[in-house]
Amino acid sequence: MNYKKIYKDKEHSGAYLFYGKEKYLIENAVIYLINKYVKGTEAFNYTKFKGSEVKPEDIISACETYPVMNEKKIVIVRDVCDFLSENNIKNSFYDFLDNISDFVILIFWDTANIKKTTKFYKEFKKKDRDMEFGKLSQVDLNNFVKGYFIRKGKEIGPSETSFFIAESAYNSKNEDMSLLDLKTEMDKIVSLSGEKRIKRDDIEKSITENIDSNIFKFLDAMMNRNSERAIIELNNLYKLNEPSLKIFTMIIRQVKNFLSYKILSVKKMSQSEIIRKMDVKKYEYGKIQSTHRNFTKEFLTNFYEELIDADQMLKTSSIDEKIIMETLVIKYCNDFNFSHRC
C-alpha cells in the first residue's frame, strides 16, 4: 500500500511494515508519528529495537506495557531482515500481531530489501499494513524539490526544477538515485547560490561535481558504443579525480554482464531468474537487454582478453593510465578487430 495512507488516516494503531527504496520518506513518516502521538513523552512511550538483537518475546513485552501519561506508545523494530534471519517466527507471533492493543503503534522498519515472497511480508500485505515508500511520481517529485528549497529559504522556478530533476536522473535513468541523494545535491546548490532564487547556473555548477551522474553517463555511452561521448565522460571522471582502477572495474563488470546475458538468455529461464543469476537490478537488466545486440559474444570474449592485458599494463607499465583507458574505450566502442592483438 502507498505510504500516503499514513498521512491520510486520522488514527493509527497496530502493526505496520515500512519498506521501500525511499529511506528518507520512511524517516519522515516515523518522525510524523512520533510528533503526533508521543512527542514530549518519548522517554516513556517510545521503544526502538535493532532487528539483529531483538527477540519476538521482547517485542511482545514492549507492546503489552501500557503507555505512561499518554494514550499511545510507539515501538519500532529496525532492520526487519536481520530480525527475520535471527529468529524463527512462529504462528503465535502472527496471532499476536493481529491482536495488538489499540494503544500500540508497532512499526517494522525495513532498511534492506525485504523479499515479497516471505510469509512475514505476505501477512502485512494481506491486511493492508504494508506501507511502501517507493520512488516519487513526477508531480510529487516536483513538489518535493520546490518545497525543500523553500524550507532552505530559496525559490526555484518550474524550468529550473525540471532541469534539476532531469540532470539528477532520479526518474528515468538511475534507479539507485534516492531522495537522500537528491537532498544532498540540493544542499550543494543552496551553498553555491548567492541569491534567493536558484538559477540554472547554480544547478550546472553542482551537477558537474556529481561523480555518480558522470559514471552513469560514461557507462551509458559505452553500452551504446558512442566513443566520442564515452571519451568526454571519461575525461569528466578524471577531472573529478576518479581513480583509473575504479573506472576499469566498471568496464570489466559491464563486459561480464553482457557475456552473462548472452549465455543465460538462450536458456529456458524466466526474466527474474536471469536477473537473480546476473545479480543486477531490474533497471540495469533492462539496459543490458536493450543494448546487448551492440556486441557479439565473440567480440566480448576477445575484449575480455584485452582487459586482462590492460590490467597487467595498469599494474606494471610506465604508460600513462589515461592513455591505456582511452585506448580501451575506443576499442570497446568501435568494431575493433582483435585478430591483430600482440
Side-chain angles (χ1 to χ4, degrees):
M1 181 169 290
N2 190 285
Y3 73 93
K4 290 182 180 179
K5 188 176 187 299
I6 293 294
Y7 297 98
K8 292 178 181 177
D9 289 348
K10 292 183 179 179
E11 290 295 325
H12 304 83
S13 62
Y16 296 89
L17 172 62
F18 283 10
Y19 72 101
K21 295 181 179 299
E22 290 300 354
K23 312 307 179 189
Y24 182 73
L25 294 179
I26 296 179
E27 290 176 2
N28 284 349
V30 170
I31 292 170
Y32 166 78
L33 292 172
I34 290 173
N35 288 338
K36 181 173 182 177
Y37 290 108
V38 300
K39 188 173 179 62
T41 67
E42 292 99 318
F44 305 103
N45 301 309
Y46 175 51
T47 304
K48 186 175 179 180
F49 295 112
K50 288 183 178 179
S52 59
E53 300 174 356
V54 68
K55 302 294 182 186
E57 52 267 30
D58 299 326
I59 299 171
I60 294 173
S61 177
C63 291
E64 289 179 343
T65 305
Y66 281 93
V68 178
M69 297 180 292
N70 207 51
E71 294 182 357
K72 298 275 187 180
K73 69 180 303 182
I74 294 177
V75 178
I76 290 181
V77 181
R78 192 180 171 105
D79 308 325
V80 175
C81 292
D82 290 343
F83 170 67
L84 296 178
S85 64
E86 292 290 331
N87 297 281
N88 179 24
I89 310 302
K90 299 179 180 178
N91 287 333
S92 58
F93 186 73
Y94 291 111
D95 292 337
F96 153 74
L97 295 179
D98 289 338
N99 297 283
I100 292 178
S101 300
D102 289 342
F103 60 75
V104 177
I105 300 170
L106 172 60
I107 299 170
F108 289 93
W109 184 341
D110 175 34
T111 56
N113 187 18
I114 189 168
K115 293 182 179 179
K116 295 184 178 181
T117 55
T118 61
K119 180 179 180 180
F120 191 83
Y121 170 82
K122 289 178 179 178
E123 286 294 318
F124 283 89
K125 179 72 173 178
K126 184 168 59 178
K127 298 175 178 62
D128 290 334
R129 289 293 179 131
D130 59 313
M131 299 294 131
E132 182 173 14
F133 295 77
K135 301 196 79 170
L136 295 183
S137 67
Q138 189 65 45
V139 173
D140 288 340
L141 186 58
N142 284 345
N143 292 334
F144 173 81
V145 170
K146 288 188 287 186
Y148 189 83
F149 278 123
I150 288 172
R151 290 194 295 275
K152 290 292 183 176
K154 299 288 186 178
E155 296 176 358
I156 185 169
S159 176
E160 288 75 19
T161 300
S162 297
F163 176 70
F164 169 70
I165 291 173
E167 287 297 307
S168 74
Y170 177 86
N171 274 335
S172 60
K173 297 179 181 179
N174 190 347
E175 192 178 70
D176 290 333
M177 174 66 73
S178 70
L179 292 179
L180 284 171
D181 299 317
L182 225 58
K183 176 177 171 292
T184 299
E185 287 304 313
M186 287 189 283
D187 286 339
K188 285 166 58 179
I189 292 170
V190 168
S191 66
L192 289 169
S193 176
E195 300 179 14
K196 184 170 183 178
R197 190 172 182 85
I198 300 297
K199 297 178 181 178
R200 187 183 177 109
D201 286 347
D202 300 322
I203 299 170
E204 288 177 338
K205 287 176 185 176
S206 175
I207 292 298
T208 55
E209 297 174 4
N210 188 335
I211 291 177
D212 289 338
S213 176
N214 282 279
I215 286 174
F216 169 79
K217 291 175 181 177
F218 170 68
L219 293 177
D220 192 56
M222 294 280 283
M223 276 187 172
N224 289 284
R225 303 191 94 159
N226 187 336
S227 58
E228 183 179 353
R229 173 50 56 185
I231 290 296
I232 290 172
E233 297 303 336
L234 176 66
N235 287 322
N236 285 338
L237 288 171
Y238 276 120
K239 288 177 184 177
L240 297 170
N241 296 317
E242 193 72 356
S244 292
L245 181 59
K246 183 175 180 180
I247 302 171
F248 183 69
T249 302
M250 291 187 295
I251 296 174
I252 292 175
R253 183 176 183 275
Q254 190 175 93
V255 173
K256 289 176 68 176
N257 281 342
F258 274 123
L259 274 171
S260 296
Y261 178 83
K262 295 280 187 185
I263 294 168
L264 295 172
S265 61
V266 297
K267 297 183 179 181
K268 293 182 178 180
M269 299 173 65
S270 66
Q271 177 177 300
S272 59
E273 287 179 307
I274 296 175
I275 291 173
R276 181 173 58 80
K277 287 275 188 183
M278 291 178 63
D279 193 23
V280 296
K281 295 185 178 179
K282 191 173 181 179
Y283 171 80
E284 187 176 8
Y285 172 82
K287 295 289 290 184
I288 294 166
Q289 186 182 43
S290 64
T291 56
H292 78 96
R293 291 183 181 85
N294 290 339
F295 307 89
T296 65
K297 184 178 177 181
E298 181 184 11
F299 173 88
L300 292 167
T301 302
N302 288 331
F303 190 77
Y304 198 78
E305 295 296 322
E306 190 77 10
L307 289 172
I308 294 173
D309 291 346
D311 181 46
Q312 187 66 21
M313 289 178 67
L314 286 169
K315 292 176 179 176
T316 61
S317 175
S318 59
I319 301 174
D320 190 327
E321 290 183 353
K322 188 176 179 182
I323 294 175
I324 297 174
M325 295 301 298
E326 287 180 346
T327 302
L328 275 177
V329 169
I330 291 170
K331 287 182 177 181
Y332 187 60
C333 292
N334 293 284
D335 193 11
F336 188 78
N337 185 356
F338 291 102
S339 62
H340 299 299
R341 287 175 62 240
C342 297

